[in-house]
Amino acid sequence: MLALGIVLLLLLLLFIGMPIGFTLIVVGSLGIFLVSGFDTFTGILSSTAYRSVNSFTLTTIPLFILMANFISKSNIAKDLYDCILKWIGHVPGGVGVSTVFASAGFGTLSGSSIAATSIMSKICIPEMVRAKYKDTFAAGLVASSTGTLAVLIPPSVPLILYAVQTETSIGHLLMAGVLPGILLAGLLCAFIFITSIKLNTKIEKSSWSERFASLKTIWPMLILVVFVLAVIYLGIATSTEAAAFGALGALLIGLLIKRLNVKSVIESLKDAVQQTAMIFTIVIGGYIFAYFFTLTGTGQSIISAISESGLSKWTILFLIIVFYLILGLFMDLIGSMILTLPLVFPIIQALGFDEIWFGVVVVLLLEIGLVTPPVGINLFITSKHSQVPVDRVFYGSIPFIGILLLTILLLVIFPQIALYLPTNM
């Protein structure tokens, strides 16, 4: 009964708008106090805040965020889109396919769903509308695909957080997102190609000289990201060391191509500190809330109930997938993951599913929530920058949400899509 009351309080605080990190701290602290008394409460709180984020592994997050901020401040997104458009804009659906590739590329450079969606909304949607795509189709594509590709293709902050919370390999998690990201991009491109033929959309032709000239500003950043991923995959460096090199490389390249100055560097540092503080607050809250669940034995009780229910492992997995789809309607990705993993992850382990594979699946599931009402932050971001009403953005997103669900289904049927690269590292 106490656990139920605490969960109801958690939902109430989230409903009235308290940030997820502070909600988890308040609710978890209250639960610990009621279960174990004042001494245990003060003992846990006095040490958890420091121990939960005092991790060499966790430094990967601020370093990748800093790298992403340097790249974003270098205004490389427009150059990336123009370059891809010049190379493939002449094929049917080239403008739409360029949007997918640019989204995947900038997602790789930034690692942020919200940042990638915001920037690509400004750049890609006007070009797609000029190429005779419907504004709803263009907005739906950017809202549903850009952020998803950004969190699948490394560096991905959600995948790093999943690895830290579940004590799995960050390198394996980052590599596990690559092939699912490529699969999703391929499915999106196939759908765009078919739609473009029906709509008779325009194509963009460019000369070979224009194509090669478009590579001038983007190739250093692309080589940097490929190098960072390669040293992780080959085991030459840890993910933290690779992130540090990536941040330094992004800074030096931005300065050399004269896209960064003292002001933009300072802004990048400030943004990195703010984003890291927000994420680490959620991590601290998640640890405190997990302590409460451990003390009450709720997690073990749920695992026992499931094992005695007689349901097959696939039925339980289906229920977990539905649970995350519903949760994503009301909570942000990172908050949802930190809140639920202490409860769900032991169930996944008990059922014998692969932990690395599940990380990719859960991030994909929660990313769908970013393009579904009532929260749907990517819907609002896309609407703001494209001037397309939110309801029309959601309407345009529906077929792409279907493609996201198809990707998840393929991952469930063929888990090796996510596990091939980690297995061969």
Side-chain angles (χ1 to χ4, degrees):
M1 288 300 294
L2 175 60
L4 178 60
I6 290 295
V7 170
L8 291 176
L9 176 60
L10 172 73
L11 296 176
L12 175 63
L13 293 178
L14 291 174
F15 180 76
I16 64 177
M18 180 181 283
I20 177 65
F22 294 113
T23 299
L24 291 172
I25 291 172
V26 170
V27 173
S29 299
L30 178 61
I32 292 170
F33 174 74
L34 293 176
V35 171
S36 299
F38 184 77
D39 290 341
T40 303
F41 163 74
T42 55
I44 290 176
L45 258 64
S46 64
S47 60
T48 299
Y50 176 75
R51 286 193 296 106
S52 58
V53 295
N54 179 33
S55 165
F56 177 74
T57 306
L58 267 179
T59 56
T60 308
I61 293 175
L63 289 170
F64 270 136
I65 290 175
L66 185 59
M67 172 183 164
N69 282 329
F70 285 146
I71 292 173
S72 180
K73 297 292 183 184
S74 298
N75 298 317
I76 211 78
K78 177 62 176 172
D79 295 333
L80 178 64
Y81 179 74
D82 289 341
C83 175
I84 295 174
L85 187 60
K86 283 182 170 60
W87 280 90
I88 64 173
H90 61 283
V91 302
V95 178
V97 173
S98 296
T99 298
V100 175
F101 285 168
S103 298
F106 187 71
T108 302
L109 295 173
S110 70
S112 168
S113 172
I114 294 175
T117 301
S118 175
I119 293 173
M120 301 314 290
S121 294
K122 301 175 189 175
I123 296 171
C124 301
I125 294 175
E127 291 292 337
M128 290 186 68
V129 171
R130 277 195 287 271
K132 293 186 177 181
Y133 290 89
K134 294 180 180 179
D135 59 350
T136 51
F137 183 92
L141 171 62
V142 172
S144 55
S145 66
T146 302
T148 308
L149 291 169
V151 298
L152 274 182
I153 301 177
S156 166
V157 171
L159 286 176
I160 294 171
L161 275 175
Y162 175 92
V164 173
Q165 289 295 107
T166 59
E167 298 182 356
T168 47
S169 166
I170 290 180
H172 285 121
L173 255 300
L174 292 177
M175 289 300 110
V178 174
L179 292 183
I182 293 173
L183 171 64
L184 174 59
L187 292 173
L188 289 168
C189 290
F191 179 72
I192 292 168
F193 178 79
I194 296 171
T195 304
S196 299
I197 293 176
K198 291 181 179 180
L199 295 176
N200 192 27
T201 56
K202 290 183 179 179
I203 59 175
E204 300 283 341
K205 293 184 177 181
S206 302
S207 65
W208 282 102
S209 60
E210 289 175 325
R211 292 174 184 174
F212 283 109
S214 67
L215 295 169
K216 181 180 178 180
T217 56
I218 69 166
W219 69 265
M221 290 293 187
L222 293 179
I223 289 177
L224 172 67
V225 172
V226 171
F227 179 81
V228 168
L229 297 182
V231 297
I232 294 175
Y233 181 77
L234 296 173
I236 298 172
T238 66
S239 55
T240 304
E241 293 164 345
F245 182 87
L248 177 61
L251 171 62
L252 294 177
I253 291 172
L255 292 172
L256 288 173
I257 64 176
K258 298 180 180 180
R259 296 291 185 87
L260 289 177
N261 52 37
V262 174
K263 180 182 178 182
S264 56
V265 170
I266 293 174
E267 288 176 351
S268 298
L269 291 169
K270 287 181 178 178
D271 290 345
V273 170
Q274 290 174 346
Q275 294 170 46
T276 302
M278 177 196 70
I279 292 171
F280 279 13
T281 301
I282 297 175
V283 171
I284 293 169
Y287 271 94
I288 293 174
F289 194 76
Y291 270 120
F292 163 68
F293 260 90
T294 301
L295 290 172
T296 58
T298 303
Q300 192 59 46
S301 299
I302 292 175
I303 293 174
S304 299
I306 290 174
S307 62
E308 295 171 2
S309 67
L311 297 174
S312 71
K313 60 184 289 187
W314 298 107
T315 302
I316 296 170
L317 177 64
F318 173 76
L319 294 175
I320 290 174
I321 288 174
V322 172
F323 165 72
Y324 272 114
L325 287 173
I326 295 173
L327 185 66
L329 299 176
F330 305 100
M331 289 183 63
D332 67 282
L333 191 157
I334 292 176
S336 300
M337 199 165 58
I338 297 295
L339 174 64
T340 59
L341 281 179
L343 180 63
V344 175
F345 187 70
I347 298 173
I348 292 296
Q349 287 182 307
L351 293 174
F353 290 109
D354 188 272
E355 296 95 335
I356 301 293
W357 163 83
F358 182 69
V360 176
V361 171
V362 77
V363 167
L364 254 178
L365 287 168
L366 290 172
E367 185 65 28
I368 292 176
L370 297 183
V371 287
T372 47
V375 177
I377 185 66
N378 283 358
L379 295 177
F380 293 98
I381 291 173
T382 305
S383 176
K384 175 184 176 182
H385 294 296
S386 67
Q387 306 304 313
V388 178
V390 174
D391 59 330
R392 288 173 57 80
V393 178
F394 174 63
Y395 175 76
S397 300
I398 292 175
F400 301 108
I401 292 174
I403 292 175
L404 292 175
L405 292 172
L406 173 61
T407 304
I408 293 170
L409 177 62
L410 291 174
L411 285 174
V412 172
I413 297 174
F414 306 106
Q416 278 302 118
I417 297 172
L419 296 176
Y420 179 79
L421 289 180
T423 302
N424 291 279
M425 284 179 67

mmCIF file of all heavy atoms in Angstrom, residues 337-362:
data_model
loop_
_atom_site.group_PDB
_atom_site.id
_atom_site.type_symbol
_atom_site.label_atom_id
_atom_site.label_comp_id
_atom_site.label_asym_id
_atom_site.label_seq_id
_atom_site.Cartn_x
_atom_site.Cartn_y
_atom_site.Cartn_z
ATOM 1 N N MET A 337 13.029 6.562 -18.642
ATOM 2 C CA MET A 337 13.996 5.468 -18.569
ATOM 3 C C MET A 337 14.582 5.335 -17.167
ATOM 4 O O MET A 337 14.644 4.231 -16.606
ATOM 5 C CB MET A 337 15.109 5.722 -19.589
ATOM 6 C CG MET A 337 15.922 4.516 -19.945
ATOM 7 S SD MET A 337 16.901 4.784 -21.433
ATOM 8 C CE MET A 337 17.867 6.209 -20.955
ATOM 9 N N ILE A 338 14.999 6.451 -16.591
ATOM 10 C CA ILE A 338 15.586 6.421 -15.247
ATOM 11 C C ILE A 338 14.573 5.931 -14.217
ATOM 12 O O ILE A 338 14.906 5.189 -13.293
ATOM 13 C CB ILE A 338 16.098 7.822 -14.856
ATOM 14 C CG1 ILE A 338 17.216 8.274 -15.799
ATOM 15 C CG2 ILE A 338 16.584 7.846 -13.414
ATOM 16 C CD1 ILE A 338 18.465 7.449 -15.736
ATOM 17 N N LEU A 339 13.314 6.324 -14.386
ATOM 18 C CA LEU A 339 12.263 5.946 -13.442
ATOM 19 C C LEU A 339 11.950 4.455 -13.487
ATOM 20 O O LEU A 339 11.754 3.815 -12.458
ATOM 21 C CB LEU A 339 10.997 6.763 -13.729
ATOM 22 C CG LEU A 339 9.742 6.412 -12.926
ATOM 23 C CD1 LEU A 339 9.964 6.694 -11.443
ATOM 24 C CD2 LEU A 339 8.542 7.192 -13.442
ATOM 25 N N THR A 340 11.917 3.889 -14.677
ATOM 26 C CA THR A 340 11.384 2.529 -14.831
ATOM 27 C C THR A 340 12.443 1.428 -14.862
ATOM 28 O O THR A 340 12.138 0.274 -14.559
ATOM 29 C CB THR A 340 10.560 2.432 -16.134
ATOM 30 O OG1 THR A 340 11.409 2.770 -17.259
ATOM 31 C CG2 THR A 340 9.381 3.380 -16.091
ATOM 32 N N LEU A 341 13.672 1.748 -15.236
ATOM 33 C CA LEU A 341 14.683 0.692 -15.387
ATOM 34 C C LEU A 341 14.925 -0.123 -14.119
ATOM 35 O O LEU A 341 15.104 -1.347 -14.202
ATOM 36 C CB LEU A 341 15.999 1.283 -15.900
ATOM 37 C CG LEU A 341 16.058 1.565 -17.405
ATOM 38 C CD1 LEU A 341 17.395 2.171 -17.779
ATOM 39 C CD2 LEU A 341 15.795 0.306 -18.218
ATOM 40 N N PRO A 342 14.948 0.503 -12.919
ATOM 41 C CA PRO A 342 15.144 -0.326 -11.724
ATOM 42 C C PRO A 342 14.081 -1.405 -11.550
ATOM 43 O O PRO A 342 14.337 -2.445 -10.935
ATOM 44 C CB PRO A 342 15.070 0.696 -10.578
ATOM 45 C CG PRO A 342 15.481 1.986 -11.199
ATOM 46 C CD PRO A 342 14.922 1.948 -12.591
ATOM 47 N N LEU A 343 12.916 -1.178 -12.125
ATOM 48 C CA LEU A 343 11.827 -2.143 -12.019
ATOM 49 C C LEU A 343 11.799 -3.111 -13.204
ATOM 50 O O LEU A 343 11.660 -4.320 -13.039
ATOM 51 C CB LEU A 343 10.486 -1.400 -11.931
ATOM 52 C CG LEU A 343 9.231 -2.257 -11.822
ATOM 53 C CD1 LEU A 343 9.260 -3.069 -10.538
ATOM 54 C CD2 LEU A 343 7.986 -1.377 -11.871
ATOM 55 N N VAL A 344 11.964 -2.563 -14.414
ATOM 56 C CA VAL A 344 11.787 -3.363 -15.631
ATOM 57 C C VAL A 344 13.029 -4.187 -15.964
ATOM 58 O O VAL A 344 12.917 -5.333 -16.414
ATOM 59 C CB VAL A 344 11.414 -2.438 -16.820
ATOM 60 C CG1 VAL A 344 11.354 -3.235 -18.117
ATOM 61 C CG2 VAL A 344 10.084 -1.744 -16.560
ATOM 62 N N PHE A 345 14.205 -3.626 -15.756
ATOM 63 C CA PHE A 345 15.436 -4.313 -16.173
ATOM 64 C C PHE A 345 15.608 -5.692 -15.513
ATOM 65 O O PHE A 345 15.971 -6.658 -16.201
ATOM 66 C CB PHE A 345 16.645 -3.420 -15.896
ATOM 67 C CG PHE A 345 17.929 -3.971 -16.437
ATOM 68 C CD1 PHE A 345 18.166 -4.016 -17.804
ATOM 69 C CD2 PHE A 345 18.918 -4.450 -15.581
ATOM 70 C CE1 PHE A 345 19.352 -4.524 -18.310
ATOM 71 C CE2 PHE A 345 20.104 -4.964 -16.074
ATOM 72 C CZ PHE A 345 20.320 -5.003 -17.446
ATOM 73 N N PRO A 346 15.362 -5.830 -14.195
ATOM 74 C CA PRO A 346 15.458 -7.177 -13.602
ATOM 75 C C PRO A 346 14.486 -8.177 -14.229
ATOM 76 O O PRO A 346 14.794 -9.374 -14.324
ATOM 77 C CB PRO A 346 15.134 -6.935 -12.124
ATOM 78 C CG PRO A 346 15.456 -5.499 -11.884
ATOM 79 C CD PRO A 346 15.096 -4.807 -13.156
ATOM 80 N N ILE A 347 13.330 -7.695 -14.664
ATOM 81 C CA ILE A 347 12.364 -8.576 -15.322
ATOM 82 C C ILE A 347 12.926 -9.066 -16.652
ATOM 83 O O ILE A 347 12.833 -10.260 -16.992
ATOM 84 C CB ILE A 347 11.025 -7.845 -15.532
ATOM 85 C CG1 ILE A 347 10.412 -7.451 -14.185
ATOM 86 C CG2 ILE A 347 10.054 -8.697 -16.340
ATOM 87 C CD1 ILE A 347 9.170 -6.591 -14.299
ATOM 88 N N ILE A 348 13.518 -8.142 -17.413
ATOM 89 C CA ILE A 348 14.123 -8.501 -18.702
ATOM 90 C C ILE A 348 15.235 -9.534 -18.499
ATOM 91 O O ILE A 348 15.348 -10.513 -19.245
ATOM 92 C CB ILE A 348 14.662 -7.238 -19.408
ATOM 93 C CG1 ILE A 348 13.500 -6.329 -19.848
ATOM 94 C CG2 ILE A 348 15.536 -7.610 -20.600
ATOM 95 C CD1 ILE A 348 12.582 -6.942 -20.873
ATOM 96 N N GLN A 349 16.045 -9.336 -17.464
ATOM 97 C CA GLN A 349 17.114 -10.296 -17.164
ATOM 98 C C GLN A 349 16.537 -11.659 -16.777
ATOM 99 O O GLN A 349 17.029 -12.699 -17.230
ATOM 100 C CB GLN A 349 17.993 -9.757 -16.033
ATOM 101 C CG GLN A 349 18.901 -8.608 -16.427
ATOM 102 C CD GLN A 349 19.767 -8.152 -15.272
ATOM 103 O OE1 GLN A 349 19.263 -7.859 -14.188
ATOM 104 N NE2 GLN A 349 21.068 -8.070 -15.486
ATOM 105 N N ALA A 350 15.500 -11.630 -15.937
ATOM 106 C CA ALA A 350 14.901 -12.883 -15.484
ATOM 107 C C ALA A 350 14.278 -13.666 -16.638
ATOM 108 O O ALA A 350 14.262 -14.900 -16.624
ATOM 109 C CB ALA A 350 13.845 -12.588 -14.417
ATOM 110 N N LEU A 351 13.786 -12.951 -17.646
ATOM 111 C CA LEU A 351 13.160 -13.600 -18.794
ATOM 112 C C LEU A 351 14.200 -14.095 -19.808
ATOM 113 O O LEU A 351 13.855 -14.816 -20.745
ATOM 114 C CB LEU A 351 12.191 -12.633 -19.486
ATOM 115 C CG LEU A 351 10.953 -12.233 -18.682
ATOM 116 C CD1 LEU A 351 10.155 -11.169 -19.426
ATOM 117 C CD2 LEU A 351 10.065 -13.440 -18.390
ATOM 118 N N GLY A 352 15.452 -13.674 -19.646
ATOM 119 C CA GLY A 352 16.510 -14.153 -20.526
ATOM 120 C C GLY A 352 16.718 -13.336 -21.785
ATOM 121 O O GLY A 352 17.415 -13.781 -22.707
ATOM 122 N N PHE A 353 16.146 -12.133 -21.863
ATOM 123 C CA PHE A 353 16.368 -11.283 -23.028
ATOM 124 C C PHE A 353 17.721 -10.579 -22.903
ATOM 125 O O PHE A 353 18.209 -10.322 -21.802
ATOM 126 C CB PHE A 353 15.253 -10.234 -23.155
ATOM 127 C CG PHE A 353 13.925 -10.803 -23.552
ATOM 128 C CD1 PHE A 353 12.879 -10.856 -22.642
ATOM 129 C CD2 PHE A 353 13.721 -11.287 -24.831
ATOM 130 C CE1 PHE A 353 11.641 -11.375 -22.991
ATOM 131 C CE2 PHE A 353 12.485 -11.812 -25.198
ATOM 132 C CZ PHE A 353 11.447 -11.861 -24.279
ATOM 133 N N ASP A 354 18.307 -10.263 -24.042
ATOM 134 C CA ASP A 354 19.613 -9.612 -24.048
ATOM 135 C C ASP A 354 19.493 -8.163 -23.576
ATOM 136 O O ASP A 354 18.640 -7.406 -24.055
ATOM 137 C CB ASP A 354 20.204 -9.643 -25.463
ATOM 138 C CG ASP A 354 21.628 -9.153 -25.485
ATOM 139 O OD1 ASP A 354 21.829 -7.923 -25.631
ATOM 140 O OD2 ASP A 354 22.543 -9.975 -25.356
ATOM 141 N N GLU A 355 20.371 -7.750 -22.640
ATOM 142 C CA GLU A 355 20.292 -6.411 -22.060
ATOM 143 C C GLU A 355 20.657 -5.325 -23.066
ATOM 144 O O GLU A 355 20.070 -4.242 -23.058
ATOM 145 C CB GLU A 355 21.222 -6.308 -20.840
ATOM 146 C CG GLU A 355 20.852 -7.223 -19.683
ATOM 147 C CD GLU A 355 21.631 -8.527 -19.714
ATOM 148 O OE1 GLU A 355 22.061 -8.920 -20.817
ATOM 149 O OE2 GLU A 355 21.818 -9.142 -18.651
ATOM 150 N N ILE A 356 21.636 -5.592 -23.936
ATOM 151 C CA ILE A 356 22.048 -4.605 -24.941
ATOM 152 C C ILE A 356 20.912 -4.372 -25.937
ATOM 153 O O ILE A 356 20.568 -3.236 -26.271
ATOM 154 C CB ILE A 356 23.320 -5.080 -25.681
ATOM 155 C CG1 ILE A 356 24.471 -5.298 -24.696
ATOM 156 C CG2 ILE A 356 23.702 -4.094 -26.777
ATOM 157 C CD1 ILE A 356 24.970 -4.045 -24.041
ATOM 158 N N TRP A 357 20.343 -5.447 -26.420
ATOM 159 C CA TRP A 357 19.214 -5.367 -27.366
ATOM 160 C C TRP A 357 18.056 -4.588 -26.752
ATOM 161 O O TRP A 357 17.456 -3.730 -27.417
ATOM 162 C CB TRP A 357 18.788 -6.794 -27.725
ATOM 163 C CG TRP A 357 17.433 -6.906 -28.354
ATOM 164 C CD1 TRP A 357 17.129 -6.727 -29.678
ATOM 165 C CD2 TRP A 357 16.202 -7.202 -27.691
ATOM 166 N NE1 TRP A 357 15.781 -6.890 -29.877
ATOM 167 C CE2 TRP A 357 15.185 -7.187 -28.673
ATOM 168 C CE3 TRP A 357 15.860 -7.470 -26.369
ATOM 169 C CZ2 TRP A 357 13.846 -7.437 -28.366
ATOM 170 C CZ3 TRP A 357 14.537 -7.719 -26.059
ATOM 171 C CH2 TRP A 357 13.547 -7.702 -27.053
ATOM 172 N N PHE A 358 17.736 -4.857 -25.504
ATOM 173 C CA PHE A 358 16.601 -4.183 -24.878
ATOM 174 C C PHE A 358 16.853 -2.678 -24.756
ATOM 175 O O PHE A 358 15.914 -1.885 -24.853
ATOM 176 C CB PHE A 358 16.322 -4.770 -23.492
ATOM 177 C CG PHE A 358 15.128 -4.161 -22.808
ATOM 178 C CD1 PHE A 358 13.841 -4.399 -23.278
ATOM 179 C CD2 PHE A 358 15.293 -3.329 -21.705
ATOM 180 C CE1 PHE A 358 12.748 -3.832 -22.655
ATOM 181 C CE2 PHE A 358 14.199 -2.758 -21.074
ATOM 182 C CZ PHE A 358 12.920 -3.012 -21.551
ATOM 183 N N GLY A 359 18.102 -2.280 -24.568
ATOM 184 C CA GLY A 359 18.413 -0.855 -24.492
ATOM 185 C C GLY A 359 18.007 -0.120 -25.754
ATOM 186 O O GLY A 359 17.426 0.974 -25.697
ATOM 187 N N VAL A 360 18.310 -0.710 -26.902
ATOM 188 C CA VAL A 360 17.939 -0.097 -28.176
ATOM 189 C C VAL A 360 16.418 -0.047 -28.323
ATOM 190 O O VAL A 360 15.843 0.966 -28.741
ATOM 191 C CB VAL A 360 18.569 -0.872 -29.352
ATOM 192 C CG1 VAL A 360 18.105 -0.304 -30.692
ATOM 193 C CG2 VAL A 360 20.082 -0.838 -29.246
ATOM 194 N N VAL A 361 15.757 -1.139 -27.949
ATOM 195 C CA VAL A 361 14.302 -1.205 -28.075
ATOM 196 C C VAL A 361 13.616 -0.165 -27.196
ATOM 197 O O VAL A 361 12.709 0.541 -27.635
ATOM 198 C CB VAL A 361 13.789 -2.624 -27.727
ATOM 199 C CG1 VAL A 361 12.258 -2.639 -27.643
ATOM 200 C CG2 VAL A 361 14.262 -3.629 -28.765
ATOM 201 N N VAL A 362 14.062 -0.041 -25.945
ATOM 202 C CA VAL A 362 13.387 0.871 -25.025
ATOM 203 C C VAL A 362 13.604 2.324 -25.439
ATOM 204 O O VAL A 362 12.694 3.162 -25.316
ATOM 205 C CB VAL A 362 13.850 0.618 -23.569
ATOM 206 C CG1 VAL A 362 15.223 1.194 -23.292
ATOM 207 C CG2 VAL A 362 12.860 1.222 -22.586
#
